[in-house]
Amino acid sequence: MSNNQITVTSPLLPSLDDFIPMLKDIWDRKWLTNNGHYHQELEKALAEYLGVKYLSLFTNGTLPLITALQAMKITGEVITTPYSFVATTHSIWWNGLKPVFVDIDEETGNINPEKIEAAITPHTTAIMPVHVYGTPCNTKRIQQIADIYGLKVIYDAAHAFGVRVNGESILNAGDMSTLSFHATKVYNTIEGGALVCHDEATKRRIDYLKNFGFADETTVVAPGINSKMDEFRAAYGLLNLKQVDEAITKRKIVAERYRETLKDIPGIRMLHDIEGVHHNYAYFPIFIDENEYGLSRDALYEKLKEYNIYGRRYFYPLISTFSAYKGLDSANPSNLPIAHKLANQVLCLPMFATLDSENENRVIDIVQKFAHK
Ligand SMILES: *Cc1c(COP(=O)(O)O)cnc(C)c1O
């Protein structure tokens, strides 16, 4: 049995032979960034692939979150989830706003809509949920609440590339959705991201904001940021887009193999496909009940490392426990019991398109080996 390292993910890379002619083309054009040829092509191709009307490319997945809050002039308090990557809450902080944490749903790990109303105050202006692991939030219920209280909804859809519900892109929910094209995600442009909105005027405003606020050569309409994607990554992104469907199909096979082989182990809970949802298999989290399984999550995490297998505890620690946020009233662990429970149970197993059955079996063998018999 080979003993090479297995990491939690491995990037989807386009063929170098296909990329080199594009590099030559960029050299010939001498147009490296600022809404260039490949940038325009990729925006069009992504909007079409994802089934959205208006999409703006960004240089990473954090700046679209920050920019979305700017574009809608969000003030005061923003309701969000502690069970996510830190960038979600950081984007609220970077806007000088107050994050208000709401507990999550145990089944999915997503914000629990039934807990949102109790967190609304006269200062609340927006909700920022996350489609954790690519599982769609209860967007209908969230929209109902937003409509009643007059709140904006910005989805952090960094995990939800290509996810559809009954054929409709999940990115069309809410007022805006953000994507990350970081190297570790289902679809990557090395670093990159996008902001999805639903009307032309809003897209125009977003495009000004990601380019210092410039509306034309001499007009600056707002204190914008620089978050432009360059031609190199846009070209790379066009190539990766051609193979992302195949990559998602392969991820599905990996997920099915895990589910089939781990389903009878006591104390291990997995996520399952939801009817009507086209999933992207971005992650493969398992939730470990220490008493039933026989080892704690952390003990299994360490055991896997001994065998050169590197899972990740997404999302542990919770965002609400970090120094910038732990003093907030809503960060009190008594307000977030389910989030704390999942953060202590979760382990994301290696999941990527090129994980072959031999290596996947190495992971499965270790998880089985330490289970109570
Ligand atoms: C990856 C990620 C981000 C940030 O994206 P970057 O491209 O790394 O800036 C934001 N939110 C979530 C939930 C993520 O997983």
Side-chain angles (χ1 to χ4, degrees):
M1 191 162 66
S2 74
N3 203 28
N4 55 320
Q5 179 174 300
I6 309 176
T7 45
V8 73
T9 189
S10 176
L12 182 66
L13 279 159
S15 128
L16 189 54
D17 289 340
D18 292 342
F19 193 39
I20 287 168
M22 295 176 111
L23 292 177
K24 288 210 177 92
D25 186 47
I26 295 170
W27 249 257
D28 290 343
R29 287 174 194 274
K30 295 185 173 34
W31 188 298
L32 306 186
T33 186
N34 287 19
N35 198 27
H37 170 76
Y38 288 111
H39 184 286
Q40 291 178 30
E41 293 275 301
L42 183 60
E43 272 196 356
K44 254 186 265 154
L46 276 171
E48 189 174 324
Y49 174 86
L50 294 167
V52 302
K53 267 209 172 117
Y54 300 99
L55 175 147
S56 297
L57 286 175
F58 277 71
T59 197
N60 60 49
T62 300
L63 281 157
L65 286 165
I66 293 174
T67 305
L69 294 163
Q70 284 284 320
M72 287 189 285
K73 300 186 191 272
I74 301 301
T75 59
E77 299 176 2
V78 179
I79 288 175
T80 190
T81 168
Y83 193 76
S84 180
F85 182 62
V86 283
T88 312
T89 309
H90 283 353
S91 72
I92 298 168
W93 191 92
W94 272 73
N95 275 275
L97 306 171
K98 182 177 172 185
V100 175
F101 297 113
V102 162
D103 206 8
I104 58 172
D105 170 52
E106 181 154 2
E107 204 65 41
T108 60
N110 289 332
I111 196 165
N112 184 341
E114 301 318 320
K115 302 263 170 78
I116 290 176
E117 279 189 280
I120 295 172
T121 77
H123 306 292
T124 311
T125 59
I127 310 172
M128 186 180 274
V130 182
H131 304 293
V132 178
Y133 311 126
T135 305
C137 288
N138 187 343
T139 55
K140 255 197 202 135
R141 185 73 189 108
I142 291 169
Q143 195 60 52
Q144 269 176 358
I145 297 164
D147 289 344
I148 292 168
Y149 290 88
L151 309 176
K152 302 287 188 196
V153 184
I154 301 158
Y155 283 100
D156 180 340
H159 297 180
F161 186 91
V163 171
R164 297 190 289 275
V165 181
N166 299 323
E168 168 83 18
S169 172
I170 193 70
L171 304 171
N172 288 323
D175 293 282
M176 291 187 188
S177 291
T178 69
L179 290 163
S180 165
F181 307 147
H182 184 257
T184 54
K185 309 289 192 270
V186 168
Y187 166 81
N188 84 83
T189 60
I190 309 171
E191 293 267 2
L195 182 48
V196 171
C197 66
H198 312 313
D199 67 90
E200 200 181 339
T202 305
K203 172 164 166 59
R204 199 177 313 129
R205 179 165 169 77
I206 291 165
D207 289 343
Y208 295 159
L209 285 173
K210 75 171 198 192
N211 186 30
F212 310 98
F214 278 112
D216 60 41
E217 219 179 294
T218 51
T219 314
V220 172
V221 296
I225 192 93
N226 177 8
S227 188
K228 304 185 299 295
M229 181 182 281
D230 60 76
E231 287 292 276
F232 298 82
R233 288 183 290 150
Y236 173 106
L238 279 166
L239 292 178
N240 253 356
L241 191 56
K242 289 187 197 158
Q243 54 170 0
V244 71
D245 275 334
E246 189 192 337
I248 290 172
T249 303
K250 288 181 179 165
R251 283 172 174 273
K252 181 177 175 152
I253 294 167
V254 173
E256 282 169 352
R257 211 184 288 133
Y258 273 136
R259 284 171 187 164
E260 188 49 37
T261 50
L262 301 178
K263 71 177 191 304
D264 296 325
I265 301 181
I268 294 215
R269 181 170 76 85
M270 297 175 281
L271 300 181
H272 291 281
D273 285 4
I274 300 164
E275 214 189 303
V277 175
H278 175 77
H279 291 274
N280 66 6
Y281 310 94
Y283 300 88
F284 198 86
I286 59 172
F287 302 92
I288 298 158
D289 181 317
E290 178 175 352
N291 295 326
E292 274 187 63
Y293 175 65
L295 273 189
S296 70
R297 183 277 310 274
D298 288 334
L300 178 61
Y301 169 73
E302 295 298 334
K303 283 284 176 215
L304 285 164
K305 280 208 267 188
E306 284 172 26
Y307 290 85
N308 228 0
I309 297 163
Y310 294 83
R312 291 296 294 271
R313 291 166 290 186
Y314 299 136
F315 290 101
Y316 167 84
L318 289 179
I319 303 174
S320 51
T321 65
F322 294 129
S323 62
Y325 309 118
K326 68 181 180 198
L328 296 167
D329 287 345
S330 65
N332 195 314
S334 65
N335 184 46
L336 307 166
I338 306 298
H340 278 270
K341 181 177 177 184
L342 292 199
N344 288 323
Q345 288 191 335
V346 71
L347 182 60
C348 286
L349 298 179
M351 163 53 85
F352 46 93
T354 52
L355 180 62
D356 59 26
S357 57
E358 188 193 334
N359 279 313
E360 187 173 358
N361 284 334
R362 276 175 55 200
V363 181
I364 291 163
D365 286 347
I366 306 303
V367 178
Q368 284 174 335
K369 183 182 166 116
F370 292 101
H372 271 320
K373 287 291 167 341

